[in-house]
Amino acid sequence: MGWLSKIFKGSNHKLYEGHSSDGCADDLVSPNRPSTSEEPDTQHDDEHDDEHDDEDIDRAIALSLLEEENRGRAVLGQGSQVQEDEELARALQESLKVDSPPHYEYGNGSLVQPISMPYPTGYRICAGCRSEIGFGRFLSCMGGLWHPECFRCHGCNSPISGYEFSMYGGYPYHKSCYKEQYHPKCGVCRQFIPTNPAGLIEYRAHPFWDQKYCPAHELDGTPRCCSCERMEPQDTGYVSLADGRKLCLECLDSAVMDTNECQPLYLDIQEFYECLNMKVEQQVPLLLVERQALNEAMEGEKQGHHHMPETRGLCLSEEQTISTVLRRPRVGPGTRNMDMITEPYRLTRRCEVTAILVLYGLPRLLTGSILAHEMMHAWLRLKGFRMLNPQIEEGICQVLAYMWLESQLNAASVAGNSSAMPARAAVRSSSSSTRSPFEMKLGQFFRNQIESDISPVYGDGFRAAQQTVLKYGLPRTLDHIQMTGCFPF
């Protein structure tokens, strides 16, 4: 033990000389203790030696206790330092907000540390075949990685090996495949519609037929049908009428070409009015005329409102001489009309209406709707409806043209749903001959033209009149117009 060594060492120390082998022992020796260099006597020396031995033992014990105390202080100091280090580490962790490592919970509720997968950092999955790409060549596009043979065109299913491709509907395409499937083609020249100087695809389109064509065809003399208004494809034929209008071959199939050919249709319109209890008592001549004759008659007419830019029908009240188409023209070489015979027809005023003129060469359904419109003008004048506002008069006349078209396209529907259409008219209209799919489509186009007309007189007038007829019925609407000159609201 440490204090025993101090005992044996203490016996050799000559404290009397005022020296200490340990600086700490000086604190235990009284500073007033006398030291001497004289030699004492033997007895005194023995007693003195015993006293020194006791003092050495006491001093050794004191030194041992002091050493233990110092060692305890060192241990305490080290413990406090460790505690301070731990507190500093906790404060640093909180300041940095260092979270604990993530844990993953399995179905049994136990928590385990994530396991490192044995794959290298370059591990990749193909977005096409969903297998590992490995260390070979791969493509990076569309937010994924692909084997070169897995990145395929959605159109032809062949790999896309070029540096550019097109996207549509979330699928990749070869630029050529995309162009073939989705780039619009011109309905006239059958070629892909070119881009404009800004790089955009610019084309014209018919709102009803959905025909797309290059803008240049509006300026290069490409013919447009005067009936269906479609641009004529370059690989199809058309007919050039004598007055300069162009007629497509599909519209030509049902076109009414002369006055005699139109008489059965005129009788059908008269019976239609009779079924509405609106019989026209006077015999009003019906004449089919060319565009020039119609324009000349319009200039000589003192009253009436005419649909511009082109008028297709006219109800006359003045005495005139009209050139009418007497015999149907024949289509000759170069798709031109030949052998058309016209003759003058002198109109005499026997009543408020002298004649009804309709442009020749139009399909039967369009000719009939024009005739029904002009017939309403004649009925209004013969019944004493004078000086009506153009929007009122043209609007109600358009309603009658619309009703006749409806009777031709869907007689049963009109008879069941329209309060203004008596069953007799529907039954009479349904007896007409069966129509081709194109002629039915053409009738829908003519009906759409009436519905979508944007002119204030014909378009807004029709919609106001149609709303009134649907609400109050045609007879009450006409009575109100005759009394007040306006629609009932």
Side-chain angles (χ1 to χ4, degrees), residues 412-424:
S413 175
V414 173
N417 298 327
S418 176
S419 60
M421 181 64 183
R424 288 178 57 196

Side-chain angles (χ1 to χ4, degrees), residues 94 106 109 198-199 214 216 250 273 283 301 328 350 416 455 482:
E94 292 176 357
Y106 291 87
C214 303
E250 291 177 302
Y273 270 80
Q283 293 296 322
E301 187 70 13
R328 179 188 183 95
R350 296 187 178 89
S455 65
Q482 188 172 27

